[in-house]
Amino acid sequence: MNNIESFILSTLSATVRAGTPLLFAVLGTIFTERSGVMNLGLEGFMLIGAIGGFVASYQTSSLLAAILVAMLAGAILGLVHAFFTVTLRVNQIVSGLAITMLGTGLSGLWGKDYIGVIARRFEPIKIPVLSEVPYIGQILFNHDLLVYISFIMVPLMWLFIYKTRPGLTLRAVGESPDAADAKGINVFAVRYFYTILGGSITAIGGAYLSLAYNSMWIENMTAGRGWIAIALVLFATWDPAKALI
């Protein structure tokens, strides 16, 4: 392999890693916005997931605990967003921006004692056989566990949204809440559930930054990735398969 090929493969492999936090954020937001709740708070969700996961990893040395704490933090923030937008019917744009500010502030306050320390991180795992495939193996199958989970989530989400009854319910609530309500579907409950679920998945994207992409907490480490993810949701037309591309 010459230097040019090696550079291209390394660049493409790095692109997959760099895109993983965005993919988690986009997938989570697809769930939320498919239910009819706009979410502009991705930056806040990712930051709260990043610091929550990092603190849990530092305190327990358990990566499973780190991901669960990150998801819990995202779920709580999702509950706040759902309460304001679904129950109180606050303007969804205003609520999303408030969530961004809340997540940014809380993560900065929570993380001020953890700046500069190192926590346990996700290490690359070579997939047997697949990682040895020329070119493709190095690009796709020589990453950490969270990258592989993001790959698996895409087809599972696509099948769920388009091929299952709960997915049909989700789309019905988002596209025509009045018709869904007439069919006896609890629109409030569906929107609450998917706003909370979407928040927890988005928070994994933030946790990826502090537990895999880096192994430390840096204030405002998302660096605008949440805003990029919002644009990607629109480009993907709320479709998980397009989101992966």
Side-chain angles (χ1 to χ4, degrees):
M1 182 181 300
N2 60 42
N3 292 335
I4 295 178
E5 288 181 337
S6 178
F7 173 76
I8 292 174
L9 292 178
S10 297
T11 300
L12 292 176
S13 178
T15 300
V16 172
R17 292 182 64 244
T20 298
L22 295 173
L23 181 57
F24 275 115
V26 171
L27 293 179
T29 306
I30 286 174
F31 266 141
T32 298
E33 297 198 354
R34 278 281 185 179
S35 73
V37 177
M38 181 185 296
N39 187 4
L40 298 183
L42 272 64
E43 192 83 356
F45 281 103
M46 293 181 75
L47 282 170
I48 207 70
I51 185 57
F54 181 81
V55 171
S57 176
Y58 181 76
Q59 296 291 346
T60 68
S61 295
S62 169
L63 293 175
L64 175 60
I67 292 301
L68 292 177
V69 169
M71 293 181 69
L72 177 61
I76 292 173
L77 213 55
L79 179 61
V80 173
H81 186 48
F83 175 72
F84 280 107
T85 57
V86 179
T87 301
L88 299 183
R89 297 177 183 256
V90 170
N91 183 284
Q92 295 179 358
I93 295 175
V94 173
S95 178
L97 295 176
I99 289 294
T100 292
M101 291 186 285
L102 179 62
T104 302
L106 287 177
S107 64
L109 180 64
W110 191 3
K112 64 181 181 179
D113 295 329
Y114 294 91
I115 296 175
V117 302
I118 304 296
R120 186 181 176 192
R121 60 174 291 173
F122 286 91
E123 299 294 342
I125 301 172
K126 285 188 176 183
I127 304 252
V129 181
L130 291 177
S131 63
E132 303 302 324
V133 176
Y135 304 116
I136 298 298
Q138 182 177 336
I139 296 171
L140 297 178
F141 302 112
N142 189 24
H143 295 284
D144 58 83
L145 182 61
L146 290 180
V147 174
Y148 302 136
I149 290 176
S150 71
F151 289 164
I152 295 171
M153 282 181 62
V154 171
L156 292 180
M157 272 189 63
W158 188 91
L159 289 172
F160 176 83
I161 291 173
Y162 294 107
K163 301 297 180 180
T164 68
R165 181 172 291 275
L168 177 61
T169 298
L170 169 63
R171 287 183 286 134
V173 168
E175 295 170 10
S176 183
D178 291 337
D181 184 64
K183 284 288 186 180
I185 298 171
N186 189 329
V187 173
F188 274 29
V190 171
R191 287 183 169 176
Y192 256 89
F193 177 78
Y194 285 105
T195 302
I196 293 170
L197 176 62
S200 65
I201 294 174
T202 300
I204 299 176
Y208 182 86
L209 293 172
S210 60
L211 298 174
Y213 201 70
N214 298 297
S215 59
M216 64 178 64
W217 162 251
I218 303 171
E219 192 170 350
N220 292 322
M221 68 186 306
T222 51
R225 288 179 175 86
W227 302 110
I228 295 172
I230 292 172
L232 292 178
V233 172
L234 301 177
F235 288 132
T237 62
W238 297 271
D239 185 307
K242 293 179 181 177
L244 177 62
I245 297 172

